[in-house]
Amino acid sequence: MGLSSPDDAAIWRLSDEQAIVVTTDFFTPVVDTPYEYGSIAAANSLSDVYAMGGRPFLALNIAALPDHLPAEISSEILRGGAEKAREAGVVVAGGHTVKDKEPKFGLVVLGFVHPQKIISKSGLKPGDLLVLTKPLGGGVTTTALKQEKVDEVHVAEAIEWMSRLNRDAGQLAVEFDARGGTDITGFGFLGHAAEMAEASGVSLHVEYSKIPLLSGARGYAERGIFPGGAFDNKAFCEAMVTFDEAIDEPAQMLLFDPQTSGGLLFGLKREKLDVFMKRAEELNQPVWVVGEVRTGKGIEVKP
Ligand code: CO
Ligand code: CO
């Protein structure tokens, strides 16, 4: 998998029992503390393996660092990445660094997945409930940080969520036999949802009131502090989305807000909901049922 479908990682079957998952991701700093930046970049790189139902086991660093960057800052970025990988049970076995004006960091990640348990963007089925595992609003919050308009409490909250591994969310998706899923990153909630709706040949029905948001997100959205990517995402998939008239402009834009290391979005069989909620609590994994999958096309957002 990986050449023709828009999935989160490439998959290579080794045997009937085992396939290897390969992915990479890296980006410029989203926060101004080096350790947290490393940790978020690593959680984000690992996320694509979890999004496909896999378990990561090995990683390599990819870094581009400015010549003049003090050594203690570069080592904090790498330490943040290495400790997040260790939390995931993943070994970072080296990597490669080049010089560049703006820092960039991420991981190449290898994981294993059972060939029958792969989660893909094309696996949603009518009747599934849509489960989201992290709140939205990372893009507006980190943009407010860059523009120095942010409340520090909101930064701390965003960092906590962005550095959170999608390991237990992925574990839940696998245990409950999800077949359709992805992680919410640069295309925003609706961009990734639109990809899944199209790849699965279904329509998605989202209830806005069920969507979790970071505490500062609505406020920054009302002040229009969106990253450029939010408008690109809107242009890209707006034709597929019908908003109820009660969903105002800031609310619509929050659904297009690009996320860094966002949560998983996957389909859950409705009859499993009660057991699923209990298991999520056991794993201490927050989950929100934000809508459902039906036949048809496109995405409808209701209050
Ligand atoms: Co992804
Ligand atoms: Co990715």
Side-chain angles (χ1 to χ4, degrees), residues 125-162:
K125 295 274 177 287
D128 283 355
L129 296 172
L130 280 175
V131 176
L132 179 65
T133 67
K134 286 188 191 182
L136 306 180
V140 277
T141 307
T142 54
T143 304
L145 170 65
K146 281 193 186 116
Q147 297 182 5
E148 297 175 3
K149 291 172 180 163
V150 83
D151 180 334
E152 282 306 321
V153 175
H154 298 151
V155 180
E157 185 192 11
I159 288 177
E160 200 177 310
W161 281 104
M162 290 189 290

Side-chain angles (χ1 to χ4, degrees), residues 168 172 175 275-285:
D168 295 344
L172 268 174
E175 275 182 28
V275 195
F276 175 83
M277 294 309 280
K278 280 199 195 89
R279 180 66 178 133
E281 207 177 306
E282 233 171 69
L283 288 172
N284 202 15
Q285 171 61 55

Side-chain angles (χ1 to χ4, degrees), residues 6-9 23 25 44-45 47-49 51-52 121 182-186 192 195 263-264:
D7 273 303
D8 289 296
T23 178
D25 222 328
N44 178 71
S45 301
S47 174
D48 280 326
V49 174
M52 298 208 70
K121 292 183 182 173
T182 191
D183 58 342
I184 305 298
T185 53
H192 291 284
E195 271 189 331
L264 299 189

Side-chain angles (χ1 to χ4, degrees), residues 179-223:
R179 284 294 174 271
T182 191
D183 58 342
I184 305 298
T185 53
F187 294 151
F189 176 84
L190 284 176
H192 291 284
E195 271 189 331
M196 285 211 288
E198 198 157 276
S200 303
V202 295
S203 68
L204 305 183
H205 298 259
V206 176
E207 278 180 76
Y208 188 78
S209 59
K210 304 275 177 70
I211 297 270
L213 294 174
L214 294 175
S215 330
R218 173 76 201 186
Y220 299 125
E222 283 171 2
R223 291 157 68 192

